[in-house]
Structure formats: structure tokens, C-alpha cells
Amino acid sequence: MTLPPRPRVIAVANQKGGVGKTTTAINLSTALAATGHATLLVDLDPQGNASTGLGIDPAARRLTTYDVMTRTASLAESVHATEVPELTLAPATMDLLSIDIELSAASDRALRLRQAIAAYGAEPAAPDYVVVDCPPSLTMLTVNALAAAHAVLAPLQCEFFAMEGLSQLLTTIAEVRAGVNPDLVIHGIVLTMVDARNNLSNQVEADVRSTMGELVYDTVIPRNVRLSEAPSHGKPALLYDLKCAGSQAYLRLVSELMDREHRMLGAA
Ligand code: ADP
Ligand code: MG
């Protein structure tokens, strides 16, 4: 079951919380949009941090990814405009918390997001890219994201148990590949909240690079307070403070990611 080539779907996933998934998803989507690729960010985390971080008030989230997953709404109907031209958002609310239970009897439960993206992809307003911000778990929501994605981008925080967490994610990716999405690839692993003055951080980085090799992007995202301030202003860091070290690192990451995109798509 091959995915349609358009839109290109990238899932930002890691079952650990607080590793930089949402920060990466928001700034990746913003940079894609700013470079002329119409992009939809799908918030698939019940915490709705990507929705808040893009300034979409909870009260304004009328039709959400919960409605998409339960087929009460199409993806197109759930979409909000954002402050960034060419960037739209499908918001999330706490309703998503019950999705595993609600879909437990549905035989197509792993494919709801894929079907919704395919339907949207056939419309004239379809985006070029869909970026999915996953919740901190490997349950049905993340499985839906992996089943719908061409590629996974995994943020990894440089801390002691980073590799253990990564191996669980790799196992889940292998399962999804063996099942509903044989063409799923790992786009890359990005090291986040890196502190070059911290020995442990350096040691973990060396360890991850020697184990995972070229899968690890050269670009690392430094620990940067501006990145953590931006969401409280409802703005991507790239709009909040373009010049800060964090924003500049995300711009480098996206240019590296686009190089890989060209290689992957050129080879396809
Ligand atoms: P996740 O989505 O994986 O739970 P977040 O992107 O929400 O992770 O990041 C967790 C917290 O760390 C948030 O408060 C975020 O603002 C902050 N944060 C993320 N990346 C950085 C960074 N590079 N430097 C400093 N703070 C960061
Ligand atoms: Mg998050």
C-alpha cells in the first residue's frame, strides 16, 4: 500500500515527552512555508501545544484532529490559517485522549489519518507538505502518524537514556513498515537542547552519531531560551526572534532536510 506522492508527509515523533517534537514541528513547518511550500501542521497531541504555539486559542478549535480521526470532519474542514502565509494548522484538543478506546473496534483504526490526508491531497487547496506533531507515546495516534508518513523526523534530547528511547521508536517504525506502510523511512534524527559545555551532552552526541551514523543530521539545535519563550507569544521562534541561535539552527536543519528531500525524491 504505497502512499500518494503528494502531499509529502513528515511525522515528528519520539515517545518521550519534552524532547523538542513540538518546537521542531512548528519551526520546520514555518520554514517550509516561508520557502514557498504550502504546509499543513497536523497537531496530533491531546496537549495541543502546537496549536497553542501557533496562536490558535482553545476556544477557537471548533473542528479538530479528534473530529478528523473519528470522521466527523474532513481534514480540510478542520484547517485554520496562521500568522505565517502558506502555513495552516489542524488543531488538537484533549478530546484526542480517548481516541485509542474509541477506535479500538475499528478495523481501519491505524489508517484514519492516512485516509484523511489522501482525501485532502485530492483537493485543489491541498498543501505540498504535511508535518505531523506526535504525542509522547507510541499508541494509536503515533501509529496513525507513522502509517500516514513518507518519513519520520525524530528529535532526540542529549541525555542519559536517549538511546533506549530511540530503540523503542525504531521498533515501532519497523512494525509499521512490516505492516501498513512498507515505504516509511527515517528522514533523520535531530539532537535537541544541546549544550556544548556539558560533558554528558557531548558524550551522548558522540554515542548517537557512532550508532546511528548518517541518519543523524549534522545540525544540532542548541538549548536556547528564545525557543522556549516563543510559544507563549503564540508565534514560531522563526517569527518571534529570527536572529536567535535557536532559530538559526532550525533554518540550518531545514536546509539540510531539504537536501535530503531532493536526494530521496530524486532517487524515487
Ligand atoms: P515535546 O513536544 O517533545 O514534548 P517541546 O518541543 O514541547 O517537546 O519542548 C519541551 C519544552 O522545552 C518546551 O517548554 C519547549 O519550549 C522547550 N524547548 C524545546 N526545545 C528547546 C531548546 N532547543 N532550547 C530550550 N528550550 C527548548
Ligand atoms: Mg509536543
Side-chain angles (χ1 to χ4, degrees):
M1 279 193 293
T2 343
L3 300 180
R6 302 222 73 86
R8 259 310 263 181
V9 183
I10 298 177
V12 180
N14 182 328
Q15 75 283 3
K16 284 200 74 175
V19 298
K21 286 183 292 299
T22 300
T23 307
T24 300
I26 289 177
N27 289 294
L28 165 63
S29 309
T30 301
L32 286 171
T35 49
H37 309 278
T39 301
L40 167 66
L41 175 53
V42 173
D43 190 350
L44 215 55
D45 183 351
Q47 293 176 82
N49 293 337
S51 311
T52 309
L54 281 178
I56 309 296
D57 193 66
R61 297 172 205 168
R62 210 175 45 80
L63 293 171
T64 66
T65 51
Y66 170 82
D67 301 297
V68 174
M69 294 291 288
T70 55
R71 299 226 179 90
T72 316
S74 68
L75 198 48
E77 287 170 326
S78 77
V79 160
H80 286 244
T82 72
E83 218 182 306
V84 184
E86 302 282 358
L87 175 60
T88 51
L89 171 85
T93 57
M94 299 287 253
D95 292 340
L96 271 184
L97 279 172
S98 62
I99 215 76
D100 276 61
I101 297 167
E102 288 194 48
L103 295 186
S104 60
S107 60
D108 65 348
R109 62 184 177 278
L111 298 174
R112 294 294 177 100
L113 183 65
R114 181 200 281 206
Q115 290 159 354
I117 292 172
Y120 194 20
E123 293 188 19
D128 302 314
Y129 274 91
V130 175
V131 174
V132 186
D133 186 28
C134 291
S137 69
L138 290 173
T139 51
M140 203 36 70
L141 289 168
T142 296
V143 169
N144 263 268
L146 298 180
H150 297 95
V152 185
L153 194 171
L156 198 70
Q157 195 182 344
C158 281
E159 57 180 14
F160 191 60
F161 288 114
M163 286 302 293
E164 279 77 359
L166 187 61
S167 73
Q168 290 168 32
L169 177 64
L170 296 177
T171 303
T172 304
I173 291 171
E175 285 166 7
V176 170
R177 219 183 254 153
V180 294
N181 192 1
D183 299 329
L184 179 66
V185 299
I186 299 174
H187 207 294
I189 296 164
V190 59
L191 301 170
T192 61
M193 297 182 231
V194 170
D195 178 358
R197 292 162 308 181
N198 179 319
N199 281 336
L200 177 62
S201 180
N202 291 332
Q203 213 177 314
V204 173
E205 176 173 354
D207 194 18
V208 174
R209 287 194 188 280
S210 76
T211 314
M212 302 307 298
E214 296 208 330
L215 278 182
V216 188
Y217 295 105
D218 293 336
T219 308
V220 302
I221 309 299
R223 189 170 279 286
N224 178 243
V225 70
R226 305 296 271 171
L227 290 178
S228 57
E229 288 168 2
S232 64
H233 298 268
K235 284 181 195 295
L238 289 176
L239 286 195
Y240 176 65
D241 184 352
L242 179 62
K243 294 218 165 71
C244 75
S247 292
Q248 290 298 311
Y250 273 113
L251 287 179
R252 285 196 302 278
L253 174 68
V254 173
S255 104
E256 210 184 330
L257 179 141
M258 287 316 282
D259 285 347
R260 289 191 186 193
E261 280 288 277
H262 291 135
R263 256 180 283 149
M264 283 180 196
L265 297 174

